[in-house]
Amino acid sequence: ANLGVFFCVPAAGDVVVTDERCHNSIFMGLRMGRRGVRSVSFRHNDVDHLERLLREITGREEETKPHVFVAVESVYSMDGDICPLADVLDLSARYGAGSDVYAGGRVSVIVDEAHGVGVYGETNVSDLSPSDSPDPAPDAEEPSPSEPPPSGPAGGAGVLASLG
């Protein structure tokens, strides 16, 4: 899936910021993908380094603001480290569309969920969430399987689940 996503989704002028320990399939998709997509890596799970890169990318005075994709894994396949997903999502929101920091630009997070199934929540990808996320209200009704998922922004591990 990573190969296809990173081959097809970023367009010329976009910037992909990856954790340096992301799976090779992400880097292969970027290498095989469209020309003109810039790729930079931040130190593994180093949110401060990620913020410095986002500040540098989004602070440029350009006529057209690039779409910035931040690529992480919920659980890293090589060593089992868990991504500080809540912090990554907070940064993407701070530097994303509608923010004063990056007016006119977009920042999206892509989470590789291939090695995290069953680590968070139950065993279904749609049950996954960062460990510090609040529990849903006890009286909240479960949507019926025939209803479409709610629209609007999806966060973290729910991003890929909401595409289904």
Side-chain angles (χ1 to χ4, degrees):
N2 284 333
L3 192 86
V5 167
F6 289 95
F7 178 82
C8 295
V9 173
D14 291 346
V15 180
V16 180
V17 183
T18 60
D19 184 291
E20 67 185 359
R21 291 196 190 161
C22 278
H23 194 271
N24 189 47
S25 57
I26 291 174
F27 298 109
M28 292 301 294
L30 288 169
R31 275 189 223 117
M32 295 169 55
R34 298 182 180 133
R35 290 180 183 230
V37 174
R38 195 172 122 213
S39 171
V40 295
S41 292
F42 63 96
R43 288 185 295 275
H44 178 57
N45 276 349
D46 187 338
V47 179
D48 293 330
H49 189 215
L50 171 60
E51 182 167 21
R52 282 194 298 277
L53 290 173
L54 287 175
R55 190 178 314 119
E56 175 188 317
I57 294 163
T58 61
R60 293 189 176 145
E61 291 298 322
E62 299 176 48
E63 219 175 286
T64 310
K65 301 287 188 181
H67 189 145
V68 179
F69 295 93
V70 177
V72 295
E73 297 183 29
S74 63
V75 177
Y76 287 87
S77 60
M78 298 296 283
D79 49 20
D81 289 348
I82 295 175
C83 176
L85 198 49
D87 295 333
V88 171
L89 293 171
D90 287 345
L91 277 179
S92 69
R94 188 176 327 145
Y95 287 88
S99 73
D100 293 335
V101 179
Y102 192 39
R106 296 174 297 168
V107 178
S108 300
V109 177
I110 300 175
V111 180
D112 176 350
E113 191 42 53
H115 303 99
V117 175
V119 175
Y120 291 121
E122 303 298 321
T123 58
N124 184 330
V125 129
S126 64
D127 294 329
L128 301 173
S129 63
S131 59
D132 58 350
S133 292
D135 290 333
D139 58 345
E141 287 186 34
E142 287 289 319
S144 82
S146 62
E147 291 178 23
S151 61
V159 170
L160 296 178
S162 70
L163 295 176

